[in-house]
C-alpha cells in the first residue's frame, strides 16, 4: 500500500489515536519489555507506546514506503522501523508485547495471522490488537456500491478491491481464536468512538486517509477524482449535509496473555 498519504491520514490524528491509547491501557505492566508494533504507520504512536510501556526496545513494521519515510523522522532511543509484511510476521518468540493498531483489517485470514503473531511472543507475552468494525456504516457501504459501477468497475477489471473492514470478524470470533491459540487470559470488546466532525463532508476526508486508499491505488488520478466526487454526493445524500456531524465509529479491541 504505497499510496498512503500521511498528511491526509493525520488530519484526524487525535480521533485516530484515542483507541490506540485505550489499547495500551489493556497491556499489563512488564519490566522493560521488548515490543513490536505491526502496522506502525508514521511511527508517532509507536514512539508513544515505547515510552508508556517503558520498553527497552520497540520495532515498528509497515509495508507503506510513504508512511515509513515519515517514521524515519521519529528519533527515540530504542525505537526502530522496518519495511515488512505484517501478515507473514512471526518474530523470534522473544517479544513481550505484540501490538497492532488499525492494521489487521488490511490482511486476510485473521486466524492464521494471529497464530503467526502469537508465535512471536515470549512465555508470558501479551497480544494487543485494535481494528475498525464499521463496515456497515454508509461511509463504507457507499464506497463499496460505487466501486461496482461504471466506469470504475471496468478499471478494476470487474473485481473491485474489497473493503478491508469487511474482513473484520465478530468480537466473539476473536475470543474463540484466542482460546484456540492457548492464551490463558483475554479481554475482547466492541467499542463505539464518538467523533464530532465539523460537517458530514469531513467523513469523505476521513475515509480518503484510510479505506479509499485501496480505490486510489487502482485508478488513474482523474478517475479517482471522479470517484471521490460521486462518492461525496452519494454519501451526503445518504447521511445528510449536516454541521456538525456525529460520526459514530465502532472498533474491536482485544488483549490476551499467555
Amino acid at each position: 500500500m504505497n499510496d498512503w498519504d500521511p498528511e491526509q491520514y493525520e488530519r484526524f490524528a487525535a480521533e485516530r489515536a484515542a483507541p490506540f491509547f485505550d489499547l495500551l491501557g489493556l497491556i499489563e505492566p512488564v519490566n522493560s519489555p521488548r515490543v513490536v508494533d505491526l502496522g506502525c504507520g508514521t511511527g508517532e504512536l509507536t514512539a508513544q507506546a515505547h515510552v508508556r510501556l517503558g520498553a527497552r526496545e520497540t520495532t515498528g513494521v509497515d509495508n507503506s514506503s510513504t508512511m515509513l519515510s515519515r517514521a524515519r523522522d521519529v528519533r527515540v532511543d530504542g525505537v526502530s522501523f522496518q519495511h515488512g509484511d505484517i501478515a507473514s510476521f512471526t518474530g523470534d518468540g522473544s517479544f513481550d508485547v505484540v501490538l497492532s493498531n488499525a492494521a489487521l483489517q488490511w490482511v486476510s485470514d485473521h486466524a492464521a495471522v494471529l497464530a503467526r503473531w502469537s508465535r512471536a511472543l515470549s512465555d508470558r507475552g501479551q497480544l494487543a490488537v485494535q481494528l475498525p468494525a464499521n463496515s456497515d456504516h454508509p461511509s463504507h457501504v457507499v464506497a463499496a456500491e460505487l466501486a461496482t459501477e461504471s466506469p470504475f468497475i471496468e478499471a478494476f477489471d470487474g473485481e473491485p478491491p474489497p473493503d478491508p473492514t469487511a474482513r473484520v470478524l465478530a468480537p466473539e470470533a476473536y475470543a474463540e481464536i484466542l482460546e484456540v491459540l492457548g492464551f490463558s487470559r483475554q479481554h475482547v470488546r466492541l467499542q463505539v468512538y464518538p467523533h464530532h466532525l465539523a460537517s458530514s463532508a469531513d467523513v469523505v476526508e476521513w475515509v480518503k486517509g484510510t479505506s479509499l486508499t485501496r480505490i486510489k491505488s487502482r485508478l488513474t488520478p482523474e478517475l479517482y477524482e471522479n470517484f471521490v466526487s460521486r462518492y461525496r454526493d452519494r454519501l451526503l445524500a445518504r447521511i445528510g449535509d449536516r454541521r456538525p456531524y456525529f460520526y459514530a465509529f465502532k472498533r474491536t479491541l482485544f488483549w490476551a496473555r499467555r
Side-chain angles (χ1 to χ4, degrees):
M1 295 293 299
N2 290 325
D3 289 288
W4 284 83
D5 182 343
E7 292 185 2
Q8 182 71 37
Y9 182 83
E10 292 178 345
R11 286 192 59 173
F12 304 96
E15 291 86 352
R16 298 191 195 281
F20 179 81
F21 292 115
D22 286 345
L23 188 65
L24 291 185
L26 295 176
I27 299 172
E28 296 180 342
V30 179
N31 184 33
S32 300
R34 186 174 183 229
V35 179
V36 63
D37 181 10
L38 301 175
C40 62
T42 58
E44 286 90 348
L45 294 178
T46 308
Q48 294 196 50
H50 178 79
V51 173
R52 291 200 177 203
L53 297 176
R56 70 179 186 277
E57 173 190 332
T58 300
T59 303
V61 179
D62 206 286
N63 72 342
S64 169
S65 299
T66 53
M67 289 297 209
L68 288 174
S69 67
R70 286 283 294 273
R72 296 188 186 98
D73 295 331
V74 176
R75 304 191 183 279
V76 176
D77 288 344
V79 177
S80 62
F81 300 94
Q82 64 185 50
H83 188 278
D85 177 15
I86 66 170
S88 59
F89 180 84
T90 55
D92 57 5
S94 65
F95 286 101
D96 300 296
V97 177
V98 171
L99 175 69
S100 183
N101 180 63
L104 181 60
Q105 73 275 11
W106 288 101
V107 302
S108 301
D109 198 349
H110 290 185
V113 172
L114 291 172
R116 285 191 284 273
W117 291 2
S118 70
R119 291 196 288 271
L121 291 170
S122 59
D123 288 344
R124 293 282 292 159
Q126 301 177 66
L127 174 69
V129 177
Q130 182 275 127
L131 65 170
N134 226 30
S135 63
D136 58 350
H137 190 275
S139 57
H140 291 262
V141 174
V142 168
E145 291 173 353
L146 193 57
T148 65
E149 299 175 9
S150 185
F152 314 113
I153 189 64
E154 290 83 3
F156 298 139
D157 294 325
E159 295 184 9
D163 180 352
T165 62
R167 301 187 182 103
V168 176
L169 307 177
E172 62 270 25
Y174 291 110
E176 292 172 359
I177 290 170
L178 296 174
E179 174 68 18
V180 170
L181 291 176
F183 287 97
S184 62
R185 297 166 56 207
Q186 62 167 270
H187 173 96
V188 183
R189 73 173 185 251
L190 180 69
Q191 183 165 337
V192 178
Y193 285 84
H195 300 312
H196 297 89
L197 306 185
S199 72
S200 47
D202 279 335
V203 176
V204 180
E205 299 305 311
W206 180 292
V207 297
K208 280 170 63 179
T210 52
S211 182
L212 291 191
T213 57
R214 76 190 196 278
I215 303 293
K216 184 179 180 180
S217 67
R218 298 275 301 276
L219 299 178
T220 64
E222 295 78 14
L223 202 52
Y224 176 65
E225 288 305 314
N226 184 359
F227 185 95
V228 172
S229 177
R230 289 172 59 175
Y231 171 78
R232 180 182 292 107
D233 290 345
R234 189 174 301 184
L235 178 65
L236 294 185
R238 191 80 54 93
I239 66 176
D241 189 355
R242 292 146 57 187
R243 300 170 184 270
Y245 178 70
F246 178 72
Y247 190 23
F249 203 113
K250 293 180 293 187
R251 295 180 181 272
T252 298
L253 296 87
F254 60 87
W255 166 90
R257 186 164 198 167
R258 286 203 176 282

